[in-house]
């Protein structure tokens, strides 16, 4: 898969893409990342990418021309490319979107800066994506978050594909609590059942804890979850 990041701050991506799961994906040849400097698509000597907003108001707005040029260039080189504009006004990025993106051959994220982009560039993009209801000072961090979420879903990037299936949000409920060594830490014991070796009991315990967490922390997800007969009887049995 090819991921392109169009930015005015290419140095932003120097380190974070070479570490961890994304770096592993690159080294394994599953993922190719290209950083594109928007300033390479400017003509003036200052390599400007922004200007004052028509109608007044605070801050600067990103010029449409360099964005058009960069996107057209990528489209010519790679007709399969899908384009995503990072924006707090976009559709909320979630695990389902990450899965959809991970199945594309080529995706490009455009990282905004200043007050955002000139409205006329919007039709260039397949979708506008937001990582949450807060305002960042640029799209780079948003793009990094999305690249990370997408990269780990590309087959062959994570060692253990099973861990993906059990994770929070892949199903409609949150993940169960996890423990590792030591068995007792500062007086707190790992639940006995996890040491029992009884896989069926462990599975039921985890499912119950996952449901409990979801109900307590994310009542919206809990209300929307379609539970199996077995889960319903588990809840009744333990009066969750
Ligand atoms: N004035 C704009 C905010 C611009 S923030 C507004 O009120 O909507 C500058 C840039 O940061 C945006 O163009 C976008 O690329 C990025 N950005 C900020 N918050 C974001 C978020 N929640 N999700 C994704 N990108 C975001």
């Amino acid at each position: 898969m090819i991921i392109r990041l169009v930015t005015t701050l290419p140095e932003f991506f120097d380190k974070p893409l070479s570490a961890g799961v994304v770096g592993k994906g690159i080294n394994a040849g599953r993922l190719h990342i290209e950083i594109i400097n928007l300033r390479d698509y400017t003509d003036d000597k200052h390599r400007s990418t922004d200007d004052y907003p028509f109608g007044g108001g605070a801050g600067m707005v990103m010029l449409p021309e360099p964005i058009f040029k960069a996107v057209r260039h990528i489209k010519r080189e790679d007709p399969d490319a899908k384009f995503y504009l990072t924006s707090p006004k976009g559709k909320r990025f979630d695990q389902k979107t990450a899965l959809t993106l991970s199945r594309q051959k080529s995706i490009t994220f455009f990282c905004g800066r200043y007050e955002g982009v000139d409205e006329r560039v919007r039709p260039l993009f397949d979708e506008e994506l937001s990582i949450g209801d807060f305002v960042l000072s640029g799209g780079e961090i948003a793009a990094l978050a999305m690249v990370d979420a997408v990269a780990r879903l590309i087959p062959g990037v994570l060692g253990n594909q099973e861990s993906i299936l059990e994770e929070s949000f892949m199903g409609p409920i949150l993940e169960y609590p996890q423990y590792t060594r030591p068995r007792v830490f500062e007086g707190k014991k790992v639940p006995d059942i996890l040491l029992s070796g009884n896989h069926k009991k462990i599975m039921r315990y985890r499912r119950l804890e996952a449901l409990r967490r979801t109900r307590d922390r994310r009542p919206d997800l809990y209300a929307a979850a379609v539970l199996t007969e077995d889960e319903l009887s588990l809840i009744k049995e333990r009066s969750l």
Side-chain angles (χ1 to χ4, degrees), residues 49-239:
T49 55
D50 61 301
D51 209 334
Y52 292 99
F54 279 125
M60 305 295 272
V61 174
M62 296 191 89
L63 293 163
E65 193 173 349
I67 303 176
F68 263 86
K69 282 187 173 161
V71 170
R72 281 203 187 118
H73 182 207
I74 298 166
K75 277 193 178 156
R76 255 200 316 273
E77 252 185 22
D78 181 359
D80 289 329
K82 295 263 182 228
F83 291 85
Y84 301 96
L85 176 63
T86 59
S87 160
K89 304 185 203 74
K91 187 187 103 176
R92 180 83 71 85
F93 180 81
D94 59 12
Q95 192 65 12
K96 217 171 120 200
T97 315
L99 200 59
T100 308
L101 264 55
S102 74
R103 291 175 177 153
Q104 304 288 353
K105 270 200 219 151
S106 163
I107 59 178
T108 297
F109 291 103
F110 181 83
C111 309
R113 279 271 148 188
Y114 319 106
E115 290 307 314
V117 296
D118 183 295
E119 195 60 29
R120 291 165 292 185
V121 306
R122 295 194 192 276
L124 291 172
F125 295 92
D126 293 282
E127 209 158 22
E128 265 177 69
L129 295 173
S130 163
I131 63 161
D133 291 342
F134 44 85
V135 179
L136 298 163
S137 48
E140 286 77 10
I141 289 175
L144 275 176
M146 293 190 273
V147 168
D148 189 280
V150 169
R152 58 203 299 289
L153 296 177
I154 300 170
V157 169
L158 269 195
N160 183 1
Q161 285 298 119
E162 242 172 59
S163 66
I164 288 176
L165 298 175
E166 282 187 10
E167 262 165 349
S168 303
F169 305 117
M170 280 316 263
I173 62 169
L174 304 181
E175 198 188 45
Y176 50 79
Q178 304 262 26
Y179 297 87
T180 184
R181 274 187 281 236
R183 287 178 179 212
V184 182
F185 177 70
E186 295 197 345
K188 293 190 184 79
K189 278 184 69 193
V190 170
D192 286 334
I193 199 157
L194 296 177
L195 311 173
S196 71
N198 184 330
H199 290 295
K200 199 158 172 246
K201 277 196 171 160
I202 291 173
M203 259 174 63
R204 281 171 73 84
Y205 157 83
R206 286 182 163 165
R207 193 70 190 159
L208 189 73
E209 287 305 315
L211 289 167
R212 198 198 301 278
R213 281 192 163 196
T214 311
R215 184 202 56 189
D216 294 348
R217 297 179 188 188
R218 292 292 304 273
D220 56 324
L221 292 179
Y222 190 72
V226 181
L227 303 180
T228 63
E229 286 293 319
D230 191 39
E231 283 161 356
L232 288 170
S233 67
L234 198 61
I235 289 167
K236 222 168 150 190
E237 189 184 307
R238 308 286 170 91
S239 51

